[in-house]
Amino acid sequence: MVRIEELKNNFLQLLSRLHASVPAFSGRYTAHMLSEQTIAAQAAYFATMLYNPNNISSEVAPVTTVLEVEVAKQLAEMIGYDPHRAWGHLTSGGTIANFEALWIARNVLYHPIAAAGAAKDLGVDLRVSLPNGSCERLRDLDLWQLLNLRPACALDLWDQLWACAPRSVIEKALRERSLATLGYQDYSRRLGAAFGDTLPAGVVLVSATGHYSWEKIVRALGIGSNQLVLLPVDENCHMNTVALWEKIVVLSARHVPIMACVTVCGSTEESAIDRVDEILSIRAMAERKLGVTFHIHADACYGGYAASITRGAANERQTAKEIRGALGVPHWPPEEWVRSVSALEHVDSVSIDPHKLGYTPYPAGAFLLKDRRARELVAVDPPYLAPAADDPGDSVFPGRFIFEGSKPGAAAAAAWLNHGTLPLNNTAHGKLIASTVTAAHRLHEELGQPELSPFKAIRLPAPDINIVCFLLDHPSLASVAEINSLNESIFKELSPARAKAGEYIISRTRLTSPAYDGAIRPVLNALGRDAKSFWAEYGAEGIVILRTTIMNPFADSEQPDYMAGLVAAICEAAARCIKNVGANSEASLAEA
Ligand SMILES: Cc1ncc(COP(=O)(O)O)c(C=O)c1O
């Protein structure tokens, strides 16, 4: 009886405490990548969590592991992977999906070295095609060439080896030489002994808009932060592809291996979509001209579901014109947008989060691999779950190939019912996302109107998806420090921590030099401030940017008009804050 009373009291206390949660369901919440989820996803999650299935293995989740395989196939088909060649699974989120991408990319990169050693021991003569199209004997390749085989060619070696000796013999020979077994320290020593030169440490190229998870990942994998190379962005916050090519040329001349190039499809801060098609062309040029190649991973954790916009009612890929017709939006999406998003089908791996633009409850990220063979390079078999040999399909034992262990089958059920109810094309899920893009573009336009006077909004370009970034300027402000102070104060007024129930909530970020120079230049031009003194005085501190994420499915409605309400709330906050700006910046100067 006592326990029941405690349960009741504590439960009521919990419900009451939960009232202080972020009101992400509200159209006035525009801070982060949070929103109302779909009814389908919530209903499936509720129903399934009562069974508490653990999607590590079909032994403990016979139903939801199958649903997870189906979800991965749906996502693979949405981006254009061949579902028979591809493989994917759900993760706890984008960080782990990105981690798996680099974990696998690195193992694929070093696989030819293990394969060459195994082939030599077994007395097998294998041939392999190089990125420039020539076909060579594996045993004749030097270390640089071995580290520059196309991912698919590296995996072909695996198949060729299987044909030469019993599986157990090949596995043992590869294991003894693999980075996974030896670890970096012993591996480098052995490379030095075998090739007389270990080559400089390999790097990971990432768009400067890359999520901070990449920093965690290179540290966790022992690659090291120094090896994470940020590529500058242009005025649209897209990876600068000229800079990418120049970087590849320099790295190639120094024989620095490129483990992966990470392109961002829907950046965390701006929802910017890199020109994935151009990045693929640059890799093709690097293969042809320099004999250099690398794994391309698309971090589409935020923007991946936007690929549903490119699919028609029969899931066929559509042109920009057809999409505009289907959505009834005359000027969006532009041709380049469609080319970039459609090009996801050619990258080697993709991460896409159902718990972001998939409108599914946490935790639900997804990792997709174009060539399923690569997963074998990270496979681990525990003794107490179904052995690999018993695995007739993907659903029996996902735990074998993934980094995480126990994970919720409810997340798979939620994504599954969601995809079934709102199919991944522009008549359903894609239409929902497109409506948030329309709302975001309307907000972008309204911020450009003279009604904001005496304030003026300096906007980043109209977003590729639905995150609108801008800052407010005022004629009385003399320096970037004062402008930053005003915008920081506006953010504080409308921040998740300060806003009261029913108020508008936004977030903020900073554009810092040198990574964001391409995007900062037009902002400084629009501000009319002295650009030279900016770089000298504020480059590292950067420019404070207000950020609004328009994810709510009702953002596009005109009753109530959330976008007009948001502009009004920002203007009111600015009017309150401007009075204190001089005082604030004097105080911060005094502190400094
Ligand atoms: C582009 C991008 N990649 C990765 C992540 C990490 O995702 P998660 O928080 O689900 O681990 C995020 C999160 O916002 C993101 O925006």
Side-chain angles (χ1 to χ4, degrees):
M1 241 356 240
V2 176
R3 296 284 161 237
I4 289 179
E5 270 314 298
E6 278 190 1
L7 170 64
K8 267 197 223 157
N9 291 340
N10 287 331
F11 189 58
L12 289 174
Q13 199 194 111
L14 172 69
L15 294 181
S16 145
R17 288 176 76 168
L18 284 171
H19 280 306
S21 301
V22 166
F25 48 82
S26 163
R28 293 188 184 85
Y29 180 85
T30 64
H32 295 288
M33 297 164 168
L34 292 174
S35 159
E36 186 69 290
Q37 304 113 53
T38 63
I39 292 172
Q42 285 183 330
Y45 201 99
F46 268 130
T48 312
M49 79 182 184
L50 300 176
Y51 292 90
N52 198 23
N54 176 354
N55 265 25
I56 189 157
S57 158
S58 65
E59 279 183 54
V60 281
V63 179
T64 49
T65 46
V66 177
L67 297 181
E68 181 167 336
V69 171
E70 292 176 26
V71 165
K73 282 209 167 106
Q74 290 158 345
L75 291 173
E77 276 169 357
M78 174 180 70
I79 66 159
Y81 277 177
D82 172 355
H84 302 293
R85 270 191 75 212
W87 172 75
H89 71 94
L90 295 184
T91 62
S92 65
T95 302
I96 294 294
N98 283 343
F99 178 93
E100 289 193 359
L102 198 51
W103 188 32
I104 288 185
R106 184 182 63 174
N107 286 6
V108 172
L109 175 81
Y110 289 111
H111 176 59
I113 297 172
K120 192 171 164 205
D121 276 9
L122 298 167
V124 184
D125 192 14
L126 301 181
R127 296 190 79 80
V128 63
S129 61
L130 298 188
N132 63 10
S134 64
C135 187
E136 305 285 341
R137 280 151 54 143
L138 184 63
R139 67 160 75 140
D140 295 337
L141 301 189
D142 63 22
L143 183 55
W144 175 243
Q145 288 170 311
L146 286 170
L147 290 173
N148 278 287
L149 294 184
R150 285 202 191 101
C153 295
L155 295 167
D156 288 344
L157 285 173
W158 187 287
D159 288 340
Q160 290 181 52
L161 280 171
W162 286 153
C164 299
R167 193 181 175 108
S168 56
V169 175
I170 304 292
E171 270 177 351
K172 184 166 176 293
L174 287 173
R175 205 179 312 118
E176 279 167 4
R177 292 172 176 79
S178 80
L179 177 63
T181 312
L182 300 169
Y184 262 131
Q185 298 165 57
D186 202 29
Y187 196 71
S188 308
R189 193 181 57 75
R190 288 197 189 208
L191 281 191
F195 294 93
D197 177 11
T198 57
L199 297 183
V203 295
V204 179
L205 307 179
V206 184
S207 206
T209 56
H211 186 255
Y212 79 110
S213 53
W214 291 105
E215 180 72 39
K216 293 187 196 172
I217 293 163
V218 291
R219 291 181 190 194
L221 285 171
I223 294 168
S225 308
N226 282 350
Q227 308 313 117
L228 186 69
V229 177
L230 291 189
L231 294 165
V233 292
D234 63 17
E235 67 277 16
N236 294 306
C237 297
H238 298 161
M239 182 196 289
N240 180 330
T241 47
V242 175
L244 168 65
W245 171 249
E246 288 169 358
K247 182 57 80 181
I248 294 169
V249 171
V250 170
L251 293 171
S252 156
R254 291 177 41 223
H255 276 195
V256 177
I258 301 174
M259 291 188 199
C261 173
V262 178
T263 166
V264 182
C265 178
S267 62
T268 313
E269 282 139 297
E270 310 84 6
S271 71
I273 298 178
D274 282 342
R275 291 299 308 270
V276 183
D277 52 330
E278 289 183 2
I279 293 164
L280 284 155
S281 304
I282 285 177
R283 177 174 69 177
M285 187 158 82
E287 291 177 348
R288 247 185 358 262
K289 294 193 173 171
L290 308 170
V292 166
T293 190
F294 43 85
H295 181 111
I296 297 183
H297 173 72
D299 181 347
C301 286
Y302 187 61
Y305 270 91
S308 59
I309 294 173
T310 67
R311 301 271 169 198
N315 293 335
E316 77 285 12
R317 182 83 83 193
Q318 292 190 324
T319 63
K321 195 168 163 220
E322 287 166 338
I323 297 169
R324 287 179 215 144
L327 296 173
V329 180
H331 306 299
W332 193 88
E335 301 278 353
E336 311 82 64
W337 189 100
V338 178
R339 274 202 292 274
S340 302
V341 175
S342 305
L344 286 175
E345 69 186 49
H346 299 298
V347 304
D348 301 295
S349 57
V350 181
S351 38
I352 303 182
D353 287 352
H355 69 204
K356 294 191 172 77
L357 283 178
Y359 295 89
T360 298
Y362 298 111
F367 173 61
L368 303 175
L369 197 52
K370 186 163 82 176
D371 187 334
R372 59 169 40 226
R373 294 175 299 172
R375 66 188 183 158
E376 294 292 343
L377 287 166
V378 294
V380 178
D381 285 317
Y384 67 95
L385 287 167
D390 293 350
D391 188 347
D394 284 332
S395 62
V396 173
F397 185 15
R400 190 169 178 245
F401 304 111
I402 69 175
F403 183 68
E404 290 167 291
S406 302
K407 64 204 193 88
W416 182 86
L417 191 60
N418 204 18
H419 295 171
T421 313
L422 276 179
L424 299 175
N425 63 49
N426 59 31
T427 67
H429 199 95
K431 205 178 187 74
L432 164 60
I433 297 179
S435 78
T436 68
V437 178
T438 305
H441 285 173
R442 189 152 62 80
L443 172 66
H444 190 263
E445 240 169 63
E446 289 193 13
L447 284 167
Q449 299 304 312
E451 283 85 75
L452 269 72
S453 176
F455 295 97
K456 184 175 166 209
I458 311 296
R459 300 162 295 166
L460 295 196
D464 289 333
I465 312 180
N466 52 16
I467 302 182
V468 180
C469 290
F470 59 96
L471 59 87
L472 286 200
D473 189 16
H474 186 271
S476 69
L477 304 177
S479 65
V480 172
E482 286 188 347
I483 297 169
N484 276 354
S485 172
L486 170 67
N487 286 282
E488 190 67 32
S489 307
I490 297 173
F491 161 66
K492 282 196 180 127
E493 288 262 324
L494 300 177
S495 75
R498 279 268 283 283
K500 296 183 198 70
E503 289 181 353
Y504 280 91
I505 302 178
I506 65 172
S507 56
R508 65 102 168 70
T509 184
R510 276 173 190 270
L511 301 185
T512 52
S513 180
Y516 269 101
D517 284 1
I520 291 173
R521 245 174 245 119
V523 171
L524 289 177
N525 282 345
L527 281 172
R529 299 300 195 281
D530 174 12
K532 272 201 195 117
S533 75
F534 168 80
W535 307 116
E537 292 177 42
Y538 309 109
E541 180 192 336
I543 300 188
V544 175
I545 296 284
L546 300 177
R547 169 177 174 264
T548 55
T549 309
I550 313 302
M551 254 185 84
N552 191 284
F554 305 106
D556 195 25
S557 90
E558 293 190 358
Q559 281 292 342
D561 189 340
Y562 290 117
M563 297 302 100
L566 177 55
V567 175
I570 290 165
C571 286
E572 283 161 22
R576 287 194 297 276
C577 294
I578 190 71
K579 296 177 198 134
N580 299 323
V581 168
N584 282 351
S585 43
E586 270 162 33
S588 50
L589 277 178
E591 265 174 39

